[in-house]
Amino acid sequence: MRYQPDPSSVIAAEIAFNRLAQEEGQWTAFRETAADDAVMFVPDQVLAKDWLKKQADPPASVSWSPSIVYVSCDGRLAASTGNWKRPDGSVGYFTTLWRRDKKGRWQWILDHGDTLASPRPAPEFLSGKVATCKRDARPGGPPGPDQAQGPPRDESLIWDAQVAPDKSRRVTVRMWTGDAYETVIDDQVKAGS
């Protein structure tokens, strides 16, 4: 199935995710929108489905809003980042990586964030950027006779997540510009956060 690289659909998914958390419960929303292989940090990287099944919804959910969205050229992968606020008034930022499922719905595959002393400046308008398409994204060129004939892997939006032994962590998202990868998200969390 072909998808349009549509940042507004990711913004809509993020807004719906927040609304579900407010209406049905924070961890309920996370469970219902996560892909089976989704990961989160608590502070170790864990398989979200396993961790979430043990969590009861808090009385009031954290609320959040995206500021900017980045989408792969083929419209299958996206990253959103923005601010969150807890009911107690504490604030922070988040980064969510999204992937389309077989039915075309966005499911989150990575959730990450940290607290901040004050929120990042909120943009006046939400924005979205689409990565430039790569001519042949499959390493080594087109598939050979013994390789699957599906669509080539799109590597126009790539990400990496690492947790160090001291529990510090880093999530980076890079987007292909046509000439090189530009780092568009670089979340670094110190140990103990």
Side-chain angles (χ1 to χ4, degrees):
M1 182 179 283
R2 293 192 176 260
Y3 300 103
Q4 292 297 317
D6 179 15
S8 63
S9 68
V10 183
I11 292 169
E14 192 73 70
I15 291 169
F17 182 22
N18 178 59
R19 185 179 316 116
L20 182 62
Q22 305 312 309
E23 294 172 358
E24 302 295 329
Q26 179 174 311
W27 299 128
T28 297
F30 275 75
R31 280 188 291 271
E32 290 184 14
T33 55
D36 288 339
D37 59 345
V39 296
M40 53 195 316
F41 302 86
V42 294
D44 287 315
Q45 183 174 321
V46 297
L47 187 61
K49 293 273 185 179
D50 292 344
W51 188 84
L52 288 167
K53 69 173 111 176
K54 302 171 190 163
Q55 306 306 310
D57 289 321
S61 175
V62 64
S63 62
W64 65 90
S65 178
S67 297
I68 189 164
V69 169
Y70 303 96
V71 182
S72 65
C73 170
D74 70 356
R76 293 176 185 267
L77 185 67
S80 59
T81 190
N83 291 320
W84 57 256
K85 184 176 182 178
R86 289 188 182 126
D88 68 5
S90 59
V91 297
Y93 71 90
F94 71 90
T95 294
T96 307
L97 292 174
W98 296 89
R99 181 180 64 213
R100 292 213 191 245
D101 68 8
K102 291 179 181 179
K103 295 181 180 179
R105 297 174 301 200
W106 288 109
Q107 291 185 308
W108 67 269
I109 58 172
L110 178 137
D111 181 70
H112 180 263
D114 196 18
T115 58
L116 296 169
S118 59
R120 292 175 174 171
E124 187 173 339
F125 300 102
L126 300 179
S127 64
K129 294 183 179 183
V130 176
T132 301
C133 295
K134 293 188 87 175
R135 292 197 185 265
D136 186 3
R138 198 184 302 272
D146 60 338
Q147 293 177 306
Q149 294 293 321
R153 282 194 339 225
D154 176 40
E155 293 180 352
S156 62
L157 190 72
I158 59 175
W159 63 277
D160 183 55
Q162 300 173 358
V163 178
D166 68 357
K167 307 296 185 215
S168 62
R169 60 190 187 270
R170 185 173 191 177
V171 172
T172 55
V173 178
R174 295 185 304 258
M175 186 170 73
W176 183 250
T177 65
D179 296 318
Y181 282 104
E182 174 187 351
T183 299
V184 293
I185 296 174
D186 189 6
D187 295 342
Q188 298 179 47
V189 178
K190 293 178 183 174
S193 291

